[in-house]
Amino acid sequence: MRPNKSFVPVKFLYWSSQITTMSLEMGLLIGVGYWLDLKYGTSPGFLLGGCGLGLLAVGWQLFRLVRSGMNGVLAGKSQRTPKTESASRSESDK
């Protein structure tokens, strides 16, 4: 049985959207912090705050991503191919 070729682009699009979202979250929050520093004349206060909030947002996104992956592994949704599944079944029958 051949793997579905449309699965690979979907997986690629999912991961690229996750990475893009994390990059935009971080960049946007740093940019807002920099803009607020320019507007109010503060030195690095808002910029550092934006960096901190960006790190928290990206950390939360990574946590959710890892947690959803772990839920799939714990539920038995592994990434096995049909060939390895049949081989592991034949070994367990012995």
Side-chain angles (χ1 to χ4, degrees), residues 4-86:
N4 188 357
K5 290 186 180 186
S6 67
F7 178 69
V8 175
V10 170
K11 200 173 195 181
F12 171 76
L13 288 174
Y14 172 76
W15 281 103
S16 64
S17 71
Q18 294 298 317
I19 292 169
T20 303
T21 300
M22 286 186 253
S23 302
L24 287 173
E25 286 174 349
M26 188 73 169
L28 186 65
L29 288 169
I30 290 173
V32 167
Y34 180 73
W35 177 74
L36 286 172
D37 275 339
L38 290 177
K39 183 175 180 178
Y40 294 116
T42 57
S43 179
F46 286 113
L47 179 64
L48 291 176
C51 288
L53 285 175
L55 285 173
L56 284 174
V58 169
W60 177 250
Q61 187 78 10
L62 283 172
F63 173 74
R64 287 180 41 213
L65 198 61
V66 169
R67 187 179 61 186
S68 69
M70 288 303 296
N71 286 340
V73 169
L74 293 176
K77 297 177 186 174
S78 65
Q79 297 294 328
R80 290 184 171 185
T81 60
K83 190 177 250 184
T84 58
E85 284 181 5
S86 63

